Amino acid sequence: PEVLRRWPAGGLGNTAWALAVLGCRDRAVFRALAERAVHPAVLQAFSAWDMSNLMWAFATAGVQDMELMEAVSRTALERQLQHNHVGLALMAWSWATLQVTDTALMRFLLVQAKGDIRSFGLRSITNMAWAFGTLGVEDEGLLRLLAQQLMRCGARNPAGP
């Protein structure tokens, strides 16, 4: 649609997120968002959070758009986008939920996760572990770090979720 041609990068992620939260599963709507998102200028304008948010929405809606996934992966790797722990977990969770293996992207996320493991909360730990397990990404070092962080989180909040 014409209106999407003027949509900023962050607006695409936020719109997709809102649609997914509202239960929209309309592939035509998500395809229109993906078409805008893969535009080179939009890809370059995306922040790491914009990408994580957008991909979470597509995964939540159950919409596997390979053109979008490849473009987001390529851009994240080329730009070496630095995700926070939530963004890391959401990116990995999105690929795993959509059952798409992207070894280069997962390795990139894995390296970032190892460097930022102490900021991970319970949800990020479980999402990351589930995603890597689902995709068959094996890294004993990351699993050990996730387990250690899980123990630290549990010690701080033993009755938490």
Side-chain angles (χ1 to χ4, degrees):
E2 182 64 31
V3 70
L4 286 180
R5 291 189 187 154
R6 295 184 305 275
W7 224 261
L12 288 172
N14 290 338
T15 300
W17 176 86
L19 291 169
V21 167
L22 291 171
C24 177
R25 302 296 182 260
D26 187 323
R27 291 188 182 283
V29 170
F30 279 92
R31 182 64 204 139
L33 290 167
E35 286 175 5
R36 175 68 178 140
V38 299
H39 187 279
V42 175
L43 285 170
Q44 290 307 308
F46 272 132
S47 68
W49 180 252
D50 294 333
M51 286 186 174
S52 300
N53 202 24
L54 182 69
M55 296 316 303
W56 176 89
F58 272 74
T60 297
V63 177
Q64 184 188 86
D65 189 297
M66 290 308 296
E67 180 185 9
L68 175 64
M69 294 180 84
E70 290 168 4
V72 165
S73 175
R74 184 178 57 254
T75 302
L77 294 171
E78 287 172 359
R79 292 178 51 204
Q80 295 290 296
L81 290 176
Q82 299 299 305
H83 295 269
N84 65 22
H85 68 93
V86 175
L88 289 169
L90 291 180
M91 287 287 280
W93 179 89
S94 297
W95 261 254
T97 297
L98 294 170
Q99 300 177 343
V100 175
T101 301
D102 183 330
T103 304
L105 179 64
M106 291 306 119
R107 290 286 166 203
F108 176 69
L109 297 176
L110 186 145
V111 168
Q112 284 190 47
K114 284 181 172 180
D116 192 32
I117 201 72
R118 287 199 173 257
S119 70
F120 275 58
L122 293 173
R123 181 167 287 167
S124 294
I125 292 167
T126 56
N127 282 343
M128 187 68 97
W130 176 83
F132 278 38
T134 297
L135 293 173
V137 177
E138 296 181 16
D139 188 288
E140 287 185 33
L142 177 64
L143 290 177
R144 185 173 35 261
L145 290 171
L146 287 171
Q148 290 168 353
Q149 182 63 11
L150 182 63
M151 297 303 288
R152 280 191 288 275
C153 287
R156 286 192 309 258
N157 188 14

